């Protein structure tokens, strides 16, 4: 009788260790940013999750729009953004880039809460300028891969260049400065776009010869328009406020709109709501002299997540009863929590709630989209149906296949989208009525911007994140902050960051505002989105790199061309449907 074979040896299975932190040391540059590392204590990382904005701003990843969607590229590795697993770290979208980094030679070490990232510094072997229509392109041939970092408005290439090579760059209009940790191109972070390639190693810079406005500007305090406003009482300064033992650096702009001759305006994207822009690209078309980043958005889909109304037209409706501000021609701000109560009524008296208006916030039920969303609506979830309403009648219905391709939005129509198996409430040819009212009077005002949570009202802390649908982890998060406030007879645009170390929590932000005499305050999108622009110069960024954002808030000179004094008055379309019936 043959004995059975011995059992196989027991395989020791260990769960991979998980480590998280909030600092990175990138080739000697220490920055605050969240990370998540999964692997064995004495081995390499199986997973390394880093924020997408950090990868673009501090590593040189290229994010581009292709016919099939957003694409990410770095030294020969390419992937569509939607194909990559994603998680949320604090308030930021993060990707697993362990394999991307290690295959390029990046060394990663953990030390307590700090992640150390190192890449051997390559030599610049040569420079090649494009010809003809590509004359604004410069190709840098390298002996190995190098990090490309945006530091404020400077571009740091972690490579070594010779004196002769730096002279060649100067002849092309660049301002190179060799430092211990690489070659700094002064004032070029916004002027140049970069692409990294392998086989052989190269960095391609597009936009040489196009000077960044910031490089040609002196300090914003010396700008003639800013000087004139300061003489009329505008406040523009930076100060340190201690909340307990934590020092916070606050940069603020304070203005009495009527005395300084300014208008406060939302800065939306006019023609479509999908996409992100740098703050100066939102400010310049509106002639905004001063601007701050605005409300929340989905960083992956690049869609709005909150109230945005300009001249009486809803570009995006509020969600989750979150904090918002509203104002009219005087510029006096009304603060509160806001919802839009939309109802669809059928010809036989049936009633259905419409959950959102022109929003990237996706949930089961019915949502409404108008032409303010853009010329086309494309499905945001995997199970959708829709019907188009024009002049109170359902004129067409759409199935998932059509919505996935995209359907046009009529200038005088409303597209009602049913998600999650929710049935369409009416058939083609039936008559319906859409009614809408605001939960708070501020929703009736012509200008509205949402954020959240609400921080202060009448001098009291009213922080209640749960009431506004924010998670406990978001509420306890320490991060750079952007705030719009009111107090002491002035409107305030403020950014807050840690002066020496940790950034403020929402409660610490509220307490700091109280110390400054601000009576009403609303938190705006923060973290890497935090940005303040003065005289077309970015004076504050949340993570040290110029962020792309969805919308902003701007101060505009009343007499400036294209901005008439009636700019804050409500916009009325032919049907008057954008006006809110508050009955």
């Amino acid at each position: 009788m043959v004995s059975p074979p011995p059992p196989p040896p027991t395989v020791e299975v260990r769960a991979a260790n998980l480590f998280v932190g909030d600092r990175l040391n990138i080739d000697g540059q220490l920055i605050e940013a969240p990370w998540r590392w999964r692997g064995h204590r004495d081995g390499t990382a199986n997973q390394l999750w880093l924020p997408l904005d950090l990868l673009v701003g501090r590593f040189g990843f290229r994010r581009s729009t292709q016919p099939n969607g957003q694409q990410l590229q770095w030294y020969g590795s390419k992937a569509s953004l939607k194909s990559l697993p994603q998680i949320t770290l604090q308030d930021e979208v993060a990707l697993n880039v362990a394999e991307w980094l290690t295959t390029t030679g990046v060394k990663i070490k953990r030390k307590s809460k700090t992640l150390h990232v190192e890449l051997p510094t390559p030599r610049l072997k040569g420079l090649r300028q494009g010809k003809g229509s590509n004359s604004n392109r410069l190709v840098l041939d390298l002996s190995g891969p190098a990090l490309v970092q945006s530091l404020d408005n400077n571009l740091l290439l972690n490579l070594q260049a010779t004196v002769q090579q730096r002279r060649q760059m100067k002849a092309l209009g660049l301002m190179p400065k060799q430092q211990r940790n690489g070659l700094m191109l002064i004032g070029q972070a916004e002027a140049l776009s970069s692409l990294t390639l392998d086989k052989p190693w190269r960095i391609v810079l597009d936009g040489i010869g196009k000077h960044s406005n910031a490089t040609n500007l002196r300090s914003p305090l010396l700008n003639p328009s800013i000087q004139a406003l300061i003489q009329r009482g505008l406040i523009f300064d930076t100060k340190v406020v201690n909340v307990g033992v934590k020092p916070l650096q606050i940069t603020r702009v304070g203005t009495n709109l009527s005395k300084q001759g300014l208008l406060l305006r939302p800065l939306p994207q006019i023609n479509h709501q999908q996409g992100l822009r740098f703050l100066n690209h939102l400010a310049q078309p509106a002639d905004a002299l001063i601007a701050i980043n605005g409300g929340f958005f989905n960083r992956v889909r690049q869609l709005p997540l909150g109230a945005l109304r300009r001249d009486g037209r809803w570009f995006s409706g509020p969600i989750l009863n979150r904090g918002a501000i509203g104002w009219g021609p005087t510029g006096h701000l009304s603060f509160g929590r806001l919802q839009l109560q939309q109802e669809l009524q059928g010809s036989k008296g049936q009633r259905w709630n419409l959950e959102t208006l022109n929003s990237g916030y996706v949930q089961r039920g019915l949502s409404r989209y108008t032409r303010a969303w853009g010329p086309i609506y494309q499905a945001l979830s995997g199970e959708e149906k829709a019907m188009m309403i024009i002049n109170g009648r359902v004129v067409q219905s759409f199935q998932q296949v059509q919505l996935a391709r995209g359907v046009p939005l009529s200038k005088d129509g409303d597209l009602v989208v049913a998600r999650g198996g929710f049935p369409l409430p009416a058939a083609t040819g039936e008559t319906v009525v859409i009614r809408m009212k605001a939960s708070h009077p501020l929703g009736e005002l012509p200008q509205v911007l949402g954020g959240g949570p609400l921080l202060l009202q009448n001098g009291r802390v009213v922080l209640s994140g749960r009431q506004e649908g924010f998670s406990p982890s978001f509420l306890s998060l320490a991060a750079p902050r952007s705030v719009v406030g009111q107090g002491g007879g002035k409107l305030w645009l403020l950014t807050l960051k840690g002066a020496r170390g940790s950034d403020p929590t929402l409660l610490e932000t509220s307490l700091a505002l109280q110390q400054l005499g601000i009576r009403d305050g609303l938190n705006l999108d923060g973290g890497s989105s935090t940005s303040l622009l003065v005289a077309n110069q970015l004076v504050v960024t949340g993570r040290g790199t110029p962020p792309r954002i969805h919308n902003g808030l701007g101060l505009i000179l009343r007499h400036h061309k294209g901005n008439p004094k009636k700019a804050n008055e409500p916009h009325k379309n032919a049907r008057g449907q954008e006006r809110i019936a508050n009955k």
Side-chain angles (χ1 to χ4, degrees), residues 296 322-324 450-455 468 470 474 506 522-525:
F296 296 98
R322 287 185 172 172
L454 201 60
L455 302 175
E468 299 185 27
F470 290 103
F474 178 86
L506 288 167
L522 174 69
N523 182 64
L524 301 174
D525 192 10

Side-chain angles (χ1 to χ4, degrees), residues 8 16 57 66 96 115 118 187 190 238 250-251 254 272 285 343 381 423 427 442:
Q66 304 297 328
N96 175 22
L115 191 73
E118 296 180 357
E190 294 184 31
T238 297
I250 301 176
T251 303
H272 53 82
E343 185 178 76
S381 64
L442 74 85

